[in-house]
Amino acid sequence: MRALVWHGKEDIRCDTVTDPEIEDPRDAIVKVTSCAICGSDLHLFHNFIPGMLPGDIMGHEMMGEVVEVGHGMDGKLKKGDRIVVPFTIVCGQCEQCRRGNFSVCETTNRKRHLANKVFGHTTAGLFGYTHLTGGYPGGQAEYLRVPFADTTHIKIPDAVSDEQALFLGDIFPTGWQAAAQCDIEPTDTVAIWGCGPVGQMAIRSALLLGANQVIAIDCVPERLSMAEAGGATTINFESESVAERLNEFTDGKGPEKCIDATGMEAHVMASQPDTLLDRAKQMLMLESDRPHVLREMIYVCRPCGVISIPGVYSGLSDHVPMGALMNKGLTVRSGQTHVNRWTDDLLRRIEEGQVDPSFVITHTVDLAQGPEMYKVFRDKRDSCVKVVLKP
Amino acid sequence: MYYVANIMRSKGDPKIVRSGPSSIEPADRLARRLGWFSIGLGAMEVLASRRITRALGMRGSEGLVRAYGFRELFSGVMSLSVDKRAGMWSRVAGDGLDAATLLSGFRYDNPKKHNVALALLMVGGIAFLDYKAVQQTVARSPRRGGGRRLYADRSGFPKGLEAARSSAKNLLGRAAVGAS
């Protein structure tokens, strides 16, 4: 089969690889009908996340048709079912899964000894990601083996198209969780840094969860226009002061809720010297993340507000103002997405026509064009916001 | 490396049969090679500054050569990073500095002026490659100005923005009544 394979920094290839095989009674093989390139795939593309090996198959946003199942499915999944595969692999049985904390499933990371060493405790196995999270082959491929498939799936009715359903596996619940963990109240202003795909989903989610005002911060006109279309007021940080504008919108008090949909690769700008320093340190491997957005959020957030971090951070961040964080009494909520906690509700909203996540798709291409599209997406060329690949 | 990587995989995981074209372009490869060259040259300038100044008949400039060595090391690291265009520009600027410094040593009374001429020739050749790499390496930032598509019609709410707002308000209203 064909698959997009990581060979090293900025080196993705559409390779011919052997087909995946059932290994465990709870495994299933899925024929992938649609998959997407995620912003966090770019962190792997840039080799900023440790633990990738040449030959790893990329991709953690995928859906398709079940073509083979192991004999331990207990009727929960059968051949012909149309499913979205959540990016977090969940056993459904451990203590964390029973609590709904699916992204920290205690069972599914097959290389949990690495995660134990690096993170202190294991987190869930993830598709198409670092070996710290199991090194499971990803879904930017024609076929995918889904471990723990009886619990790691979201069944999709025929009335919902691939484009509408695909993002239930990652970016839609990620944006939703980012907003939900802000505990939004009707008077709240929610500020969202980053108008990439997750930021766009967070904007729609904050609005659907009843925020009084949503403010989106970015510098790319296409993304700002999409954010405005979703009901946000926008700030272009290249031409405006974020702190000043946020104070204008909130009578000088700052937003109650702040969402970091940017993560470890914040934009580098000469007018923000900390971003230059972070970039230099990142190059010299003295710091793994560029936490400019985190610093800015802590500075502008209203005292006793909430900081929600769906953006990916990989390791160590310098100069995070813990003094301001502590003295302002801010609450930080973060984590990889507990996808299955949210998907029933989100699928219902899609079916009812409340929301259609396909708005974010700007490019749909054949899988073979994947390596080129990584660069187009990374460089935001051709007004690219979200790439869907068709194997 | 692939053999070692495959040891880390399980039996049912796919393995590469045939490799396709890479996302790395020739300009990226050139930038990488120049980056490694920069690191090699920089290390030499830092560690063997006295031998370099002796070969060029420019004794007394050891400190300057060492400083240029650190500059080369930084340019090399930058050229190997994802911001390779910035690294290439810093190399071009460095080539200018190198050429200016070498020209100051290209005097009649310098017994090693032939070595200086040779070094100048090498700097010229490398500068040509550096500039070529700058031109061919794609800018990381999106294009400015025209040719952009704006997405003002993509609300993501099939029933419209106002319907989404009012359904959220209704939901919050019902939740408040339920709580009281």
Side-chain angles (χ1 to χ4, degrees):
Chain A
M1 68 165 183
R2 293 179 308 156
L4 298 190
V5 176
W6 189 92
H7 285 259
K9 188 166 78 177
E10 295 179 291
D11 188 358
I12 304 278
R13 302 178 198 174
C14 185
D15 290 348
T16 303
V17 300
T18 55
D19 288 349
E21 293 169 16
I22 296 268
E23 285 183 354
D24 184 272
R26 292 179 72 182
D27 286 355
I29 303 290
V30 171
K31 183 180 192 311
V32 178
T33 52
S34 297
C35 53
I37 303 176
C38 180
S40 46
D41 287 330
L42 294 181
H43 304 320
L44 306 174
F45 185 55
H46 291 156
N47 203 18
F48 282 144
I49 295 193
M52 289 297 285
L53 289 172
D56 287 345
I57 297 178
M58 300 287 294
H60 56 266
E61 292 185 66
M62 57 269 167
M63 66 177 298
E65 186 191 331
V66 177
V67 291
E68 194 180 344
V69 292
H71 54 79
M73 288 295 148
D74 289 338
K76 289 178 188 158
L77 200 62
K78 60 181 190 310
K79 260 194 210 179
D81 281 345
R82 189 165 161 254
I83 61 168
V84 166
V85 183
F87 77 99
T88 46
I89 304 169
V90 297
C91 74
Q93 293 164 342
C94 70
E95 189 189 336
Q96 292 288 11
C97 282
R98 287 201 306 272
R99 288 170 185 264
N101 298 330
F102 297 108
S103 77
V104 287
C105 170
E106 295 164 331
T107 311
T108 54
N109 186 347
R110 60 184 178 178
K111 291 172 184 167
R112 65 180 71 90
H113 58 286
L114 295 176
N116 282 335
K117 284 273 187 288
V118 175
F119 300 135
H121 295 90
T122 188
T123 57
L126 306 180
F127 288 102
Y129 219 59
T130 156
H131 283 255
L132 294 176
T133 54
Y136 288 98
Q140 286 167 7
E142 288 176 323
Y143 292 92
L144 172 74
R145 179 172 64 88
V146 182
F148 300 91
D150 55 329
T151 42
T152 306
H153 71 263
I154 304 149
K155 280 191 189 161
I156 302 299
D158 289 339
V160 178
S161 70
D162 268 26
E163 286 69 22
Q164 288 174 307
L166 175 61
F167 303 131
L168 281 170
D170 181 358
I171 57 169
F172 191 18
T174 297
W176 187 267
Q177 178 173 298
Q181 64 192 8
C182 283
D183 297 328
I184 292 171
E185 290 177 31
T187 52
D188 280 350
T189 294
V190 180
I192 298 168
W193 277 255
C195 296
V198 168
Q200 298 291 345
M201 296 298 164
I203 290 165
R204 273 73 181 172
S205 302
L207 196 119
L208 285 171
L209 288 167
N212 179 46
Q213 184 175 216
V214 180
I215 300 171
I217 302 155
D218 203 297
C219 67
V220 182
E222 294 90 329
R223 293 172 181 219
L224 288 170
S225 72
M226 197 182 265
E228 261 176 46
T233 307
T234 57
I235 297 175
N236 184 334
F237 64 77
E238 278 192 340
S239 55
E240 303 168 282
S241 157
V242 173
E244 280 174 20
R245 293 281 285 151
L246 284 175
N247 280 333
E248 275 172 36
F249 290 130
T250 57
D251 297 327
K253 293 183 172 180
E256 290 93 342
K257 309 289 157 67
C258 297
I259 295 175
D260 174 359
T262 302
M264 61 184 286
E265 289 193 67
H267 192 74
V268 179
M269 270 196 321
S271 59
Q272 304 281 358
D274 65 318
T275 62
L276 290 172
L277 183 63
D278 283 335
R279 188 67 195 96
K281 287 163 85 173
Q282 200 178 37
M283 274 179 204
L284 297 168
M285 291 191 245
L286 298 173
E287 183 183 22
S288 55
D289 305 330
R290 305 201 297 264
H292 170 74
V293 166
L294 210 49
R295 292 184 195 118
E296 193 162 70
M297 287 203 309
I298 292 170
Y299 185 72
V300 301
C301 188
R302 188 175 298 196
C304 284
V306 176
I307 283 178
S308 171
I309 311 173
V312 170
Y313 286 85
S314 75
L316 303 172
S317 298
D318 290 350
H319 303 301
V320 174
M322 291 303 294
L325 180 82
M326 184 270 163
N327 283 289
K328 290 170 82 173
L330 304 180
T331 301
V332 177
R333 302 187 74 181
S334 183
Q336 296 279 9
T337 310
H338 308 300
V339 178
N340 294 60
R341 189 193 285 181
W342 314 107
T343 44
D344 287 350
D345 181 30
L346 296 180
L347 180 58
R348 178 187 58 77
R349 287 173 188 268
I350 293 171
E351 286 182 289
E352 287 175 0
Q354 268 188 47
V355 62
D356 179 356
S358 66
F359 75 91
V360 81
I361 302 170
T362 53
H363 292 68
T364 303
V365 299
D366 185 81
L367 184 71
Q369 288 174 260
E372 174 60 22
M373 293 315 290
Y374 265 82
K375 291 183 288 184
V376 171
F377 179 45
R378 187 265 310 267
D379 300 335
K380 303 172 186 73
R381 274 186 263 156
D382 194 30
S383 303
C384 183
V385 179
K386 187 71 179 175
V387 180
V388 170
L389 303 167
K390 295 286 183 180
Chain B
M1 190 62 192
Y2 291 96
Y3 177 76
V4 175
N6 281 342
I7 294 172
M8 298 282 285
R9 301 182 210 289
S10 67
K11 189 172 66 72
D13 286 353
K15 320 272 186 315
I16 297 171
V17 176
R18 194 172 54 250
S19 210
S22 167
S23 55
I24 297 182
E25 291 170 17
D28 299 326
R29 286 185 212 285
L30 178 61
R32 275 190 194 181
R33 283 180 193 136
L34 290 167
W36 282 116
F37 172 77
S38 225
I39 286 173
L41 181 63
M44 203 168 79
E45 286 178 333
V46 170
L47 298 173
S49 54
R50 192 167 299 168
R51 292 185 72 168
I52 291 171
T53 52
R54 206 185 307 151
L56 295 171
M58 296 171 73
R59 284 188 185 185
S61 303
E62 286 79 10
L64 188 66
V65 170
R66 265 197 294 274
Y68 282 8
F70 286 114
R71 187 206 70 214
E72 284 286 354
L73 287 172
F74 190 70
S75 295
V77 170
M78 229 178 345
S79 305
L80 293 173
S81 79
V82 291
D83 294 324
K84 55 182 82 65
R85 195 173 158 85
M88 287 295 103
W89 272 120
S90 92
R91 279 193 48 79
V92 169
D95 294 335
L97 274 177
D98 288 346
T101 308
L102 285 168
L103 278 172
S104 73
F106 192 55
R107 299 185 310 264
Y108 278 110
D109 58 347
N110 183 352
K112 301 286 176 69
K113 61 176 178 294
H114 296 297
N115 286 350
V116 175
L118 196 63
L120 269 169
L121 204 64
M122 280 173 63
V123 168
I126 292 289
F128 170 75
L129 288 178
D130 287 337
Y131 190 65
K132 198 173 147 194
V134 166
Q135 285 187 313
Q136 290 178 354
T137 311
V138 178
R140 287 283 313 278
S141 52
R143 209 162 17 125
R144 304 284 169 215
R148 289 180 177 282
R149 290 198 299 272
L150 297 180
Y151 300 114
D153 56 342
R154 295 193 178 208
S155 76
F157 300 117
K159 293 174 185 166
L161 193 55
E162 282 317 307
R165 278 189 203 280
S166 52
S167 83
K169 274 186 190 143
N170 291 340
L171 199 70
L172 287 168
R174 281 206 299 274
V177 169
S180 63

